[in-house]
């Protein structure tokens, strides 16, 4: 009898927040045969799937070793939630194993009479250059032969070879 009254209530519906994802790898550069560790953390995500250098379902956050790597690798992780999906990709650069230089030096013959000569023979691996000392001097190739010339006394010949892996 006194009229009508109305009251209004508004309910706002927001879209669910989109997932965010942080994926990292450490170290990013390794030597062949080494491994790295993947670390990830998803927010507003309910499931994650790996692809590339790894595969399968992953938890929303975690860590995992890449295992021993022989070559460059990329790892992608895609996480989904009510608000959509997010993905990240990281890469690991794999450098070849750098071998330590080795050298083999011999004299033939190793015993001579006074006034006779011997021939030095050498081979090296993983070397970029060699240096002679002792009974001979100077820069030498990484493999070769050279006469000692006529000898009047016992003489020692030393060859040091250097490369990316040391000397």
């Amino acid at each position: 009898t006194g009229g009508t009254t109305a009251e209004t209530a508004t309910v706002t519906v927001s879209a669910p927040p989109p997932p965010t994802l942080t994926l990292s790898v450490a170290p990013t550069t390794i030597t062949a045969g080494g491994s790295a560790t993947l670390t990830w953390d998803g927010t507003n995500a309910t499931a994650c799937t790996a692809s590339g250098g790894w595969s399968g379902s992953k938890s929303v956050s975690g860590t995992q070793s890449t295992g021993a790597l022989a070559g460059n690798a990329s790892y992608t992780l895609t996480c989904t939630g009510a608000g959509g999906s997010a993905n990240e990709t990281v890469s690991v650069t794999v450098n070849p194993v750098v071998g330590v230089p080795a050298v083999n030096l011999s004299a033939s013959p190793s015993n001579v009479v006074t006034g006779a000569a011997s021939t030095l023979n050498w081979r090296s691996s993983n070397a970029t250059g060699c240096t002679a000392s002792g009974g001979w001097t100077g820069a030498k190739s990484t493999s070769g032969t050279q006469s000692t010339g006529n000898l009047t006394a016992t003489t020692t010949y030393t060859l040091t070879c250097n490369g990316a892996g040391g000397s």
Side-chain angles (χ1 to χ4, degrees):
T1 56
T4 303
T5 136
E7 181 91 21
T8 305
T10 304
V11 177
T12 303
V13 177
S14 299
T20 59
L21 175 63
T22 302
L23 173 65
S24 62
V25 64
T28 57
T29 302
I30 61 172
T31 301
S35 66
T37 300
L38 297 157
T39 303
W40 68 95
D41 186 27
T43 304
N44 302 319
T46 56
C48 295
T49 304
S51 60
W54 57 345
S55 61
S57 295
K58 303 294 177 191
S59 62
V60 175
S61 63
T63 61
Q64 181 176 323
S65 173
T66 61
L69 296 176
N72 296 343
S74 291
Y75 300 86
T76 300
L77 188 63
T78 302
C79 292
T80 57
S85 66
N87 70 345
E88 290 283 329
T89 300
V90 293
S91 297
V92 179
T93 302
V94 180
N95 293 324
V97 174
V98 177
V100 176
V103 64
N104 183 341
L105 172 64
S106 63
S108 179
S110 57
N111 291 304
V112 295
V113 296
T114 300
S118 181
T119 300
L120 301 171
N121 297 289
W122 69 95
R123 290 186 324 272
S124 67
S125 59
N126 300 318
T128 54
C130 299
T131 305
S133 59
W136 59 339
T137 59
K140 303 294 178 190
S141 63
T142 55
S143 65
T145 61
Q146 181 176 321
S147 173
T148 61
N150 296 336
L151 297 169
T152 58
T154 299
T155 306
T156 300
Y157 298 86
T158 300
L159 188 62
T160 302
C161 295
N162 301 299
S167 65

